[in-house]
Amino acid sequence: MSEIRIAILGASGYTGAELIRLLRNHPQARLVALTADRSAGKPIGSVFPQLAPFGLPDLVAIADVDWSGVDFVFCALPHGTTQAVIAGLPSHLKIVDLSADFRLDNLDTYAEWYGHAHQAPGLQTEAVYGLTEIHRDAVQKARLVANPGCFPTSALLPLVPLIEAAQIEVDDIIIDAKTGTSGAGRSLKEGSLYCEVTEGVHAYGVASHRHAPEIEQDLSRSAGRSVLVNFTPHLMPMSRGMASSIYVKLRPGVSAEDLKATLIGRYRDEPFISILSGKDVPQTRHVRGTNRCHINVIADRLPGRAIILSVIDNLVKGASGQAIQNMNAMYGLPETTGLDLVAIFP
Amino acid sequence: MSEIRIAILGASGYTGAELIRLLRNHPQARLVALTADRSAGKPIGSVFPQLAPFGLPDLVAIADVDWSGVDFVFCALPHGTTQAVIAGLPSHLKIVDLSADFRLDNLDTYAEWYGHAHQAPGLQTEAVYGLTEIHRDAVQKARLVANPGCFPTSALLPLVPLIEAAQIEVDDIIIDAKTGTSGAGRSLKEGSLYCEVTEGVHAYGVASHRHAPEIEQDLSRSAGRSVLVNFTPHLMPMSRGMASSIYVKLRPGVSAEDLKATLIGRYRDEPFISILSGKDVPQTRHVRGTNRCHINVIADRLPGRAIILSVIDNLVKGASGQAIQNMNAMYGLPETTGLDLVAIFP
Amino acid sequence: MSEIRIAILGASGYTGAELIRLLRNHPQARLVALTADRSAGKPIGSVFPQLAPFGLPDLVAIADVDWSGVDFVFCALPHGTTQAVIAGLPSHLKIVDLSADFRLDNLDTYAEWYGHAHQAPGLQTEAVYGLTEIHRDAVQKARLVANPGCFPTSALLPLVPLIEAAQIEVDDIIIDAKTGTSGAGRSLKEGSLYCEVTEGVHAYGVASHRHAPEIEQDLSRSAGRSVLVNFTPHLMPMSRGMASSIYVKLRPGVSAEDLKATLIGRYRDEPFISILSGKDVPQTRHVRGTNRCHINVIADRLPGRAIILSVIDNLVKGASGQAIQNMNAMYGLPETTGLDLVAIFP
Amino acid sequence: MSEIRIAILGASGYTGAELIRLLRNHPQARLVALTADRSAGKPIGSVFPQLAPFGLPDLVAIADVDWSGVDFVFCALPHGTTQAVIAGLPSHLKIVDLSADFRLDNLDTYAEWYGHAHQAPGLQTEAVYGLTEIHRDAVQKARLVANPGCFPTSALLPLVPLIEAAQIEVDDIIIDAKTGTSGAGRSLKEGSLYCEVTEGVHAYGVASHRHAPEIEQDLSRSAGRSVLVNFTPHLMPMSRGMASSIYVKLRPGVSAEDLKATLIGRYRDEPFISILSGKDVPQTRHVRGTNRCHINVIADRLPGRAIILSVIDNLVKGASGQAIQNMNAMYGLPETTGLDLVAIFP
């Protein structure tokens, strides 16, 4: 097919840079506009020196983009400001939004967790939740895709099939998640300083992280009723990577092997998902820089329980990579286009 | 009181070095023998250059120690070889053993998890499990103390009082633990190489780690019946530190606040334990290099559940520091002697 | 052109894994044999789990490779053992050797630094030193290329053109180099353990590192007379990356700007080399995972001196990437084939 | 002697926290005031949770300190603002200032490098440069000590004795320095974010760092004439530690062994300085958390040159530890009081 002319809104953040890194290897992608309002007029190399050598367009303000030459938009702007920006874009554009703005279907839930009424409720109705392997059919037909959060991606990929198969209890799901620091973005916060992150670990957002309702939304869809989860994120001394250790109670008569068989069956033809063999443990370093998700299920020492281990790269499958996967799906391209990558290790 | 003449068996490992670091600030401690069979005859600075400037005794073989000049032994030898060594020591010696050899009261459990019959069952009967805050009375009278494992220390300190208070269900305890790499010791393993550890995270020993029965032993004691737990350790890209996130089900009518009140009451006079305020999250970096344990309890988003967060330095409160605390208790010294340390941060 | 059937000898080390990662994106490369004598018979995923999903051939012993189906060999075996292996290979094979075995033209120098007589002196005569940008003509015609060491690559790329232009004094070159730990390979050494590397820095091989004669060989070629250098490597707490800070004395009448102009002219058309603008400092993270070399020259505070900063990824431009670049040159392919990569950052 | 009542101005930064950590082990030190204008009224635990358990005074504004109850001040305020603050303090106070404000004797040099005229030239005349081992006599009599910068400390300790002994050429000194990120302080800068620091290295402040004139000042004193140096700092992916690799030209007839003999003689009785044996390389991790400086001298491969390796902990001997050492000297206490520490390793 012919090329897709792409604009990235918010190109000066980590997910923006990651989109650029990945799209350069995408044969149909042509980057025509990169925006960063505060750095408008500067070369992209001024904010990301690693991108200087590649002949990319200079940064511009969103207001200065000529939309007539754009087919597709990746929106990597901060939560809250995104909805107004997208509401103002021409309707011929297809869009994948990497913010949280269009992820929650229920406007009340959005208002409760984000502290203000949604600014574009009509678009919210139109938006499709872009967990590609789960909502592929809807994504393929969508004009506006809400790209999932990193934590929800790592948790939902194993959990949704198991709930659909009625193999686990839905009222007893505990998600202990560990994330690299790039998930906090490039903004200046004391807690993101090298000296505050290296050589230590801590939980944060305990029982109050905004990805909880996002996880619960898709689990509730699968279960056919309202589901709550324990979701406890931890900040790791690493840039990239996300590991979710999920503790579940098995429904009567179900074994850990049954869970594994369900996942193997469900993801057999998925190019980005591996269900590991035996008791092999997924490691974040084995998916670093890739759009892959590695999963395994191991029987718990507690009778009637199982442990699900799921790892992704939070910036790729948890953000920019899945966004490109969604773009590919929206255009009918093979989803691996531009994403057929081997992890960078060590 | 007069000085304690101390031998450290196994001084060339990380816990041995940490004992030396801490004991140099202990006013009653005098290091009279450091053993390391493979490095016998060499100065300690040849295996730990940071110790070279301090006038310490040279390394010797265990067989060459003159026990008549020794009062106290820290045994930091590998699991399995320790029991025979300790069985051969003169009976005037007081001993804290940092290995796992004397931690499990039940000899069958020992044989099951360590793969061979115990070599010194009589000593096992004598040994006291040295979780100081929990077993202080027994420790004070003991001649041989089995120093707890790092994971059990971080998990038992919050859990034992809550089980004793009958505030949590004992059949639904999930311990997701994160440890620094020093817990694997200084031995050469591919999985301990810098390139295999940095910038990534993974679970290990899932449902099969030897610290599970050790945790269960003390929980069973507290509960008055057999308790099993989920215990899932994860390897962190950091040298030191251990964080246990513990997911518990509350007994009817009990709240997370009740749990916290129990812990505050129990540990009010303990110099090494802090129950944090509000929703403050314990961070491993805030106890680095110290014998401290920081704990908090936060209500779960799942009704009727709570999240307990507990952090220690695996080499100090999880090993060498608690060993010295036990020695202090065995001699009637203030337990903080030599251990009144502020965390090294950043 | 048609595909190149490739064998990698020594696929279980870091440079072997990196060759596989990069070659999967090379449209002409087909991996037909991966050897690892100690792991023969196992899948590559057993030594590098990140490679499991990609349908690669199982590991075999070198003795079991069917050379009739192989066109090209990357040899990533340890120093010393390589020369005998390569001497035994069929002569129809083109070879890039990543070890040090064929890098030193002078057999006496080899014997002096490597402690034994060279085992394949005839092949040594044939071998071409594969610093591609400097020896491109010879590489293109070569059958056997000795891939340069990582430190020599980072130092020679800036220094050779400056010596050829007679702009710097050749008797006063000081190379302070910093390398990631992957340069030490995957073998088990105490000094490569995570706990021994993280959060610290130290020099090693001071005035005695084997890359010194390799650097001096090419500098002597350029100068037309024997050149010695100071070369002081330092081990960094990072997996990948190499930064050489080179302190040079300017010849009379020459300025730092003159040096920079020389490098800009020399490397204007080189796709992998960037001479940075103004006082921008090269950073290893901006070339991570790529075959790029970023260089800048800054006037020293000491009159008549300049500082040259040069960074590469030691596993790519310093090893596997340059090896593929050389293969491309040997087949007349564009050198960027399979290597047109953006740095992975953060 | 009786206790010293101490105020720390600027207690919310890393050097302030480090002063508190170290002073808690100082038998004569009593912390009576901790200032942090922006956090006045809060407990110190609100900015440094690791300090919460220790019964320290709450943070106050500088204006609210009751100086009548204070004997000694550590001033850990930012450069530029310090001089006015100190000029306003009562004259009965002894002061060690950790900023750069009083380090440069020459007011013109100060103005040139710091961009404004000095605000307290009279105090500048009074201030003593507190490189303790070099200027001990003056420090002991001083009321106001300017604590040296971290880079100058690591470079001057080996260089001053060698220049005084006329063993090295003073016009050819190259200092390649590597520092931990804590040297940049706790202020919010993009370049200090975890993701921007981890797993990479780069030079900064090349030929323009403010520690250059400070180094040159003391070298010029020693040489009896103006000395310039190359000083090239590099940012390391580590919190603490500083390694200076110093490349020097030997004066005629002088060997590297002669340099080492000079340093051994000069520092024989210094408790914090070790000249390492043979070719042992100093490592920053072996001085981590301590006030120590480890040095070695190794003959260069270039004839007539030598390599000096010097490591410190930038926050201790490079800042807070040396400040306490200076306080000890000012009060006639043993300089090791409170500072007799073993490195924390791993």
Side-chain angles (χ1 to χ4, degrees), chain D residues 177-200:
Chain D
K178 297 95 180 161
T179 183
T181 304
S182 61
R186 208 181 200 187
S187 59
L188 300 182
K189 302 172 208 165
E190 188 176 276
S192 298
L193 294 176
Y194 180 85
C195 291
E196 311 279 328
V197 173
T198 187
E199 293 286 314

Side-chain angles (χ1 to χ4, degrees), chain D residues 231-303:
Chain D
F231 168 59
T232 309
H234 297 74
L235 188 70
M236 295 286 103
M238 61 191 197
S239 282
R240 288 172 181 250
M242 172 165 288
S244 289
S245 298
I246 309 174
Y247 304 96
V248 296
K249 184 176 284 186
L250 302 167
R251 296 203 56 187
V254 175
S255 70
E257 290 69 32
D258 295 334
L259 270 52
K260 189 158 171 172
T262 295
L263 294 175
I264 289 173
R266 173 68 173 257
Y267 292 125
R268 180 170 289 123
D269 299 325
E270 290 293 345
F272 296 121
I273 301 185
S274 290
I275 313 301
L276 301 193
S277 301
K279 292 197 167 190
D280 288 357
V281 288
Q283 304 199 18
T284 60
R285 53 185 69 75
H286 296 151
V287 298
R288 185 163 47 207
T290 79
N291 199 49
R292 303 188 61 76
C293 178
H294 288 186
I295 298 171
N296 208 347
V297 183
I298 297 178
D300 198 339
R301 183 163 168 72
L302 286 180

Side-chain angles (χ1 to χ4, degrees), chain B residues 119-257:
Chain B
Q119 309 295 305
L123 279 175
Q124 178 57 56
T125 308
E126 180 187 353
V128 168
Y129 187 68
L131 190 64
T132 331
E133 285 80 3
I134 304 296
H135 301 294
R136 178 169 285 131
D137 290 348
V139 167
Q140 287 172 340
K141 300 169 202 150
R143 190 186 76 84
L144 171 59
V145 167
N147 211 54
C150 44
F151 288 116
T153 298
S154 71
L156 292 171
L157 285 173
L159 285 174
V160 166
L162 301 179
I163 290 182
E164 290 181 353
Q167 291 183 316
I168 60 172
E169 302 289 354
V170 297
D171 293 326
D172 197 348
I173 297 170
I174 293 166
I175 304 166
D176 184 298
K178 298 95 180 161
T179 182
T181 304
S182 62
R186 209 182 200 188
S187 60
L188 300 182
K189 302 172 208 163
E190 188 175 277
S192 298
L193 294 176
Y194 180 85
C195 291
E196 310 279 329
V197 173
T198 187
E199 293 286 314
V201 59
H202 65 279
Y204 70 99
V206 181
S208 62
H209 194 284
R210 287 167 169 177
H211 282 184
E214 187 182 334
I215 294 170
E216 291 164 354
Q217 171 177 273
D218 241 30
L219 295 188
S220 300
R221 273 182 200 144
S222 308
R225 68 174 177 83
S226 177
V227 172
L228 293 183
V229 298
N230 171 298
F231 167 60
T232 309
H234 297 74
L235 187 70
M236 294 287 102
M238 60 191 197
S239 282
R240 288 172 181 249
M242 172 165 289
S244 290
S245 298
I246 308 173
Y247 304 96
V248 296
K249 183 176 285 186
L250 303 168
R251 295 202 59 188
V254 176
S255 70
E257 289 69 31

Side-chain angles (χ1 to χ4, degrees), chain A residues 199, chain B residues 11-19 21 47-51 180-186 238-241 288-290 313-316 320 344, chain C residues 190 193-200, chain D residues 283-286 288-289 342-346:
Chain A
E199 293 286 315
Chain B
S12 61
Y14 290 147
T15 54
E18 189 69 354
L19 284 166
R21 177 178 82 89
V47 295
F48 286 116
Q50 81 273 18
L51 299 176
T181 304
S182 62
R186 209 182 200 188
M238 60 191 197
S239 282
R240 288 172 181 249
R288 185 162 49 205
T290 79
D313 182 323
N314 60 302
L315 284 182
V316 191
S320 304
I344 185 162
Chain C
E190 188 175 277
L193 293 176
Y194 180 85
C195 291
E196 311 279 329
V197 173
T198 187
E199 292 286 314
Chain D
Q283 304 199 18
T284 60
R285 53 185 69 75
H286 296 151
R288 185 163 47 207
V342 178
I344 185 161
F345 171 82

Side-chain angles (χ1 to χ4, degrees), chain C residues 300-301 307, chain D residues 151-152 173-177 204-212 215 229-233 244:
Chain C
D300 199 338
R301 182 162 168 73
I307 304 159
Chain D
F151 288 117
I173 297 171
I174 293 164
I175 304 167
D176 184 297
Y204 68 99
V206 181
S208 61
H209 194 285
R210 287 168 169 177
H211 283 182
I215 294 170
V229 298
N230 171 299
F231 168 59
T232 309
S244 289

